[in-house]
Amino acid sequence: MRRPVLGSLLLASTNPERLRTWYADALDPEDNSDVGGYGVLKFGECYLFIDTRTDVSDKNPEPGRVILNFDVADARAVAARMESAGVTWLAELEDRDGSLFATAIDPDGNYVQIIQLSEAHRAGM
């Protein structure tokens, strides 16, 4: 039997177009399309679906519960792109023993982390 694969994530929003635009501008997905009424952004093998829901508030009341982690090849370049898109940082880019991490806050209050792991950290995983 084939094991489950996490292939997508749904972000519900009261303003899905604003949220979708932010992710597209800040993180430059491989694809940005509409599929069956959903905004769909492709990042590597994972799809980020963005849709509206009536059972969510304008801002995430517990943003630390789920953090979207984006593995990036050049964290400094991605951070600069995010800054030009008007990002708000929870934690600016920092070096943690050779790996680079930064945590942004999307327009709905979700935490979005960019991570550039060092070769040493990758080898230890």
Side-chain angles (χ1 to χ4, degrees):
M1 180 168 132
R2 183 174 175 247
R3 291 185 180 200
V5 173
L6 181 61
S8 66
L9 178 70
L10 172 67
L11 280 182
S13 177
T14 59
N15 191 338
E17 282 306 313
R18 177 192 65 190
L19 194 60
R20 178 179 173 184
T21 298
W22 185 88
Y23 276 90
D25 290 349
L27 292 164
D28 191 28
E30 293 172 40
D31 188 41
N32 179 357
S33 57
D34 292 295
V35 178
Y38 293 97
V40 180
L41 305 174
K42 183 178 184 201
F43 294 98
E45 296 298 315
C46 192
Y47 292 89
L48 180 60
F49 288 78
I50 300 177
D51 192 22
T52 189
R53 291 182 56 104
T54 58
D55 61 346
V56 297
S57 62
D58 290 338
K59 293 289 182 186
N60 183 346
E62 294 183 316
R65 185 174 292 269
V66 175
I67 300 173
L68 281 71
N69 290 328
F70 287 85
D71 184 23
V72 300
D74 185 346
R76 287 181 178 84
V78 173
R81 177 187 180 91
M82 293 174 83
E83 286 177 358
S84 70
V87 73
T88 299
W89 294 111
L90 177 68
E92 292 189 21
L93 192 65
E94 64 180 326
D95 187 314
R96 298 184 193 165
D97 299 321
S99 294
L100 300 175
F101 291 81
T103 306
I105 304 170
D106 78 14
D108 283 8
N110 302 302
Y111 293 166
V112 179
Q113 207 165 222
I114 57 171
I115 303 168
Q116 180 184 340
L117 290 179
S118 68
E119 290 303 318
H121 280 141
R122 286 192 188 281
M125 292 177 67

